[in-house]
Amino acid sequence: MSLANYAGAQIALGVNIDHVATLREARRTRYPSVIHAALTAEQAGADSITAHLREDRRHIQPRDIDLLKELLQTRLNLEMAVTEEMLDVACHVQPYATCLVPERREELTTEGGLDVAGNLPRIREACARLASAGVLVSLFIDARPEQIEAAFEAGAPAVELHTGHYADAANDDERDRMLEQLSEMARFAATGGLRVHAGHGLNYHNVIPVCRIGVIRELNIGHAIVAQAVLVGFGAAVRQMKGLIQAAGVE
């Protein structure tokens, strides 16, 4: 695939609503409503809604996924571990897309990319099963050549590059190195025919350089938007992020 095919293409914003559910589950209440948040995000310009149904059910619940599938007008992106339980859920719900992620019960949030290279037969099987159910698959991976090459072999149509190392960089020099690595690996993936997404740790202050990499087609952002929503409201927080992403593409 020629990188020229990406020129001028708009970057989609996927809004992750997990931490709306985190607030709800902190008190085991019925509010704030993740459904209301998702529909508000749609109206504010979100191109898709991302929700991670974790095995420990710490935030998003199965009923949330069912209601999101029923009510969303845009796309539902289901983040999930590569387990039989979650594959069964995805094949039953049939979201527009799934993003396969690593998952450990003791982690605060997803701490790194999926080791596709070390688990290739299992990931390839999961990709094939989801594809047969009509679900688009992306793999959440670190921006490393061996993981991108493994994604090619696994048959996934898309990858989501882990931007956490860039977002958490201790200084400008380290951040520049991480951005250069993201850019190089994004282009490697794109020239090989993969649709390239990115996410993790992106916020209103660091998102523009990632947008300007040029081959990334979708950003999935959650915590920063939910945090900003506490101050300005959910719709305004989504519109602010969408505006930054759109402005980044204007020369």
Side-chain angles (χ1 to χ4, degrees), residues 122-161:
R122 177 60 173 151
I123 305 300
R124 183 189 287 122
E125 177 188 2
C127 288
R129 183 172 171 188
L130 290 165
S132 69
V135 179
L136 179 70
V137 183
S138 67
L139 305 177
F140 182 71
I141 60 173
D142 290 327
R144 300 180 61 85
E146 67 272 18
Q147 297 299 339
I148 293 171
E149 289 168 354
F152 295 145
E153 294 186 52
V159 291
E160 181 171 332
L161 297 182

Side-chain angles (χ1 to χ4, degrees), residues 21 129 139 174 182 208:
R129 183 172 171 188
L139 305 177
E174 182 182 351
L182 276 170
I208 288 178

Side-chain angles (χ1 to χ4, degrees), residues 164-243:
H165 300 303
Y166 159 77
D168 297 335
N171 53 59
D172 289 343
D173 287 343
E174 182 182 351
R175 186 172 297 107
D176 288 345
R177 288 196 301 273
M178 293 299 99
L179 183 63
E180 179 59 31
Q181 182 177 345
L182 276 170
S183 180
E184 182 181 350
M185 292 299 101
R187 291 172 185 278
F188 175 40
T191 54
L194 292 170
R195 179 179 171 89
V196 184
H197 306 167
H200 199 82
L202 296 178
N203 59 45
Y204 297 85
H205 303 287
N206 64 21
V207 71
I208 288 178
V210 176
C211 295
R212 289 180 174 162
I213 286 173
V215 297
I216 293 173
R217 298 279 42 88
E218 178 176 307
L219 297 176
N220 285 295
I221 304 174
H223 184 261
I225 291 174
V226 174
Q228 182 74 344
V230 173
L231 305 176
V232 303
F234 211 83
V238 173
R239 284 190 292 273
Q240 288 174 3
M241 183 61 75
K242 183 80 171 181

Side-chain angles (χ1 to χ4, degrees), residues 15-72:
V15 175
N16 187 310
I17 58 170
D18 291 350
H19 292 306
V20 177
T22 298
L23 289 173
R24 179 190 65 191
E25 296 302 311
R27 290 289 185 93
R28 296 292 192 270
T29 59
R30 300 174 71 177
Y31 60 87
S33 166
V34 297
I35 308 304
H36 188 185
L39 296 179
T40 299
E42 280 191 330
Q43 293 169 359
D47 299 290
S48 63
I49 300 298
T50 295
H52 184 176
L53 182 62
R54 295 183 66 105
E55 291 185 279
D56 62 13
R57 306 296 196 264
R58 68 175 64 170
H59 40 54
I60 297 294
Q61 303 299 312
R63 176 169 168 76
D64 297 326
I65 298 299
D66 290 338
L67 287 171
L68 288 168
K69 175 63 189 301
E70 178 183 350
L71 297 174
L72 286 178

Side-chain angles (χ1 to χ4, degrees), residues 50-123:
T50 295
H52 184 176
L53 182 62
R54 295 183 66 105
E55 291 185 279
D56 62 13
R57 306 296 196 264
R58 68 175 64 170
H59 40 54
I60 297 294
Q61 303 299 312
R63 176 169 168 76
D64 297 326
I65 298 299
D66 290 338
L67 287 171
L68 288 168
K69 175 63 189 301
E70 178 183 350
L71 297 174
L72 286 178
Q73 300 300 307
T74 53
R75 300 171 292 159
L76 173 61
N77 177 36
L78 174 62
E79 286 189 350
M80 52 179 269
V82 191
T83 65
E84 283 302 312
E85 178 199 14
M86 291 311 305
L87 287 168
D88 286 344
V89 169
C91 289
H92 172 69
V93 173
Q94 293 185 308
Y96 173 83
T98 60
C99 184
L100 303 183
V101 302
E103 189 174 305
R104 296 189 304 116
R105 288 180 183 266
E106 62 269 25
E107 68 189 357
L108 182 62
T109 187
T110 304
E111 294 175 343
L114 188 67
D115 183 11
V116 182
N119 298 278
L120 185 55
R122 177 60 173 151
I123 305 300

